Amino acid sequence: MKITFKYLAGKLIAMALALFIGVVSSANAQAPQSNKMKKILFVVTSHDKKGSTNEPTGYYLSEVAHPWEVLHNAGYEIDFVSPKGGKAPIDGFNLEDKVNYLFWNNTRYRTKVENTMSPKQIKPEEYAAIFYAGGHGAMWDLADNEELATIAKNIYENNGIIGAVCHGPAALVNIKLSSGNYLVDGKKINAFTNEEEKAVKLDNIVPFLLETKLIEQGAIFEKSGLWQEHVTVDQRVVTGQNPQSAHAVGEAILSLLK
């Protein structure tokens, strides 16, 4: 067979086209993984009363809005889940805080937090991180929620990140890893301190003192003075002490995600 320039050119074009189609197909096959790793799950409380006081509570707005701003601006999609699903009760509703204002007036995300998913709707493999917002309500319904604990364990053991701020670390006290060890055992952890709980006169109202409980579960507890920003990072677990630490917790989570 006589091989002509035209024949060779045609073969080369066909090979190049096949290679291009293969590259595109490979990229498309990998796209779901890439998109998956751009999602973060925010957990908020469903509990709306401070124990026997009957005073309203819920998730603390700035402890959602400030980490949300950091992670949303970095391109991450945020989903919301609560123990009961549906509308999450809110506390610390201060719209003079410009970040709170931006979050609350973002129609898409306000709709999400007012229509949170239930734990059974969550697929842990879709998330690169899970973050627990505080607010006193977290002390009543996050620590003993086995469904959320399992979700967090699965995200963490899939090389994901666990974050929490203020009373959000209440959710960490009973999370056990596949090894049988508590998640916080032997890790440096930070949360709302006993001194801060006494300062707000709720130390005899909350079901347990968060600092004390974390230490009982093996945490190496770190803290600063009242209302001082303090963030601790240890083995892909990020914890913050109080509302003043919320923005920095978001930044620490983002740093680990990069």
Side-chain angles (χ1 to χ4, degrees):
M1 181 179 68
K2 184 177 180 180
I3 299 176
T4 65
F5 174 78
K6 188 174 183 180
Y7 173 82
L8 288 173
K11 282 287 188 183
L12 288 171
I13 290 171
M15 290 172 63
L17 182 60
L19 180 62
F20 173 76
I21 291 171
V23 169
V24 170
S25 298
S26 176
N28 287 339
Q30 294 175 14
Q33 176 73 12
S34 176
N35 290 339
K36 176 185 75 174
M37 298 312 290
K38 297 293 282 186
K39 290 180 71 176
I40 298 172
L41 185 63
F42 273 35
V43 184
V44 292
T45 181
S46 296
H47 191 83
D48 63 358
K49 292 289 187 296
K50 293 177 183 173
S52 59
T53 69
N54 212 36
E55 293 177 4
T57 188
Y59 73 88
Y60 207 76
L61 180 57
S62 66
E63 294 173 22
V64 165
H66 283 257
W68 165 83
E69 182 196 36
V70 173
L71 298 166
H72 172 65
N73 287 347
Y76 286 86
E77 175 74 11
I78 310 297
D79 286 339
F80 286 87
V81 64
S82 65
K84 294 181 179 179
K87 187 172 182 177
I90 189 169
D91 199 0
F93 192 73
N94 174 18
L95 295 187
E96 292 182 6
D97 179 315
K98 69 176 184 178
V99 178
N100 288 357
Y101 181 87
L102 285 172
F103 173 79
W104 196 248
N105 285 281
N106 183 305
T107 303
R108 184 159 176 263
Y109 279 99
R110 181 171 169 182
T111 298
K112 280 191 172 193
V113 81
E114 292 189 328
N115 296 274
T116 66
M117 291 187 286
S118 64
K120 67 181 179 182
Q121 294 176 279
I122 301 301
K123 297 178 180 179
E125 66 274 12
E126 294 183 353
Y127 298 96
I130 183 170
F131 166 74
Y132 292 92
H136 271 92
M139 295 291 289
W140 276 271
D141 69 351
L142 295 189
D144 296 319
N145 191 291
E146 294 180 2
E147 289 179 295
L148 289 171
T150 299
I151 290 168
K153 175 187 79 76
N154 289 338
I155 290 173
Y156 185 73
E157 292 185 344
N158 193 33
N159 207 39
I161 296 153
I162 293 180
V165 68
C166 197
H167 288 94
L172 310 186
V173 299
N174 288 322
I175 295 175
K176 281 190 174 181
L177 303 177
S178 295
S179 64
N181 294 330
Y182 286 107
L183 169 74
V184 299
D185 189 15
K187 291 185 179 70
K188 296 175 182 177
I189 299 291
N190 176 238
F192 203 68
T193 67
N194 289 352
E195 291 84 0
E196 285 170 323
E197 204 68 81
K198 290 174 183 175
V200 297
K201 300 185 184 335
L202 289 171
D203 53 309
N204 292 317
I205 301 298
V206 291
F208 58 90
L209 290 174
L210 185 49
E211 175 185 338
T212 299
K213 188 66 173 177
L214 287 164
I215 292 171
E216 287 175 359
Q217 305 294 58
I220 303 166
F221 197 84
E222 295 189 344
K223 60 182 174 181
S224 295
L226 297 176
W227 324 125
Q228 299 300 304
E229 179 185 306
H230 189 133
V231 174
T232 297
V233 181
D234 192 3
Q235 300 176 60
R236 291 182 288 111
V237 178
V238 179
T239 45
Q241 183 167 319
N242 43 39
Q244 290 80 2
S245 308
H247 181 87
V249 166
E251 290 184 327
I253 292 172
L254 180 59
S255 180
L256 289 178
L257 287 167
K258 289 181 178 178

